Amino acid sequence: GTKTQMWKFPVLDENYQRFVRNLRGDLLRWLPELKDCPKATQMGVETLLSFETWDRMRRYAGESQKQSGEAVYQSCLRLIRSD
């Protein structure tokens, strides 16, 4: 829905950008250890925790909720620990 309509309605794009910025701030509050990580690591964790990643694993790759959750969890741990 929304992403396919952004080109027609600039307010949707503005709202989505604001949502992403707010989510990034929330992420740093929820996982304060990320503040000491390089920006690339922060962005990687943000991507792993995004709805788009979850939706792709569940809907298009056909993974279970448990498998998807474990994949996100383990990937985030490895990314954070690599720094």
Side-chain angles (χ1 to χ4, degrees):
T2 299
K3 290 179 93 176
T4 61
Q5 298 295 315
M6 285 184 189
W7 68 274
K8 274 200 265 186
F9 304 102
V11 70
L12 293 177
D13 188 48
E14 293 166 14
N15 287 344
Y16 188 76
Q17 287 180 38
R18 186 173 48 255
F19 170 76
V20 168
R21 283 192 306 274
N22 290 342
L23 190 58
R24 186 172 294 147
D26 288 343
L27 186 59
L28 292 175
R29 280 194 300 283
W30 297 330
L31 301 170
E33 58 269 41
L34 278 180
K35 291 179 183 174
D36 297 329
C37 293
K39 182 73 170 179
T41 300
Q42 293 176 8
M43 291 171 58
V45 170
E46 181 181 339
T47 299
L48 286 166
L49 295 176
S50 71
F51 174 76
E52 289 84 0
T53 298
W54 179 260
D55 189 50
R56 180 177 179 211
M57 284 191 285
R58 297 283 286 129
R59 184 185 310 199
Y60 300 108
E63 302 297 340
S64 71
Q65 184 175 348
K66 183 177 180 178
Q67 290 169 320
S68 298
E70 187 65 18
V72 169
Y73 176 73
Q74 290 297 327
S75 297
C76 285
L77 278 181
R78 288 186 178 122
L79 191 56
I80 293 169
R81 288 179 179 164
S82 70
D83 291 326

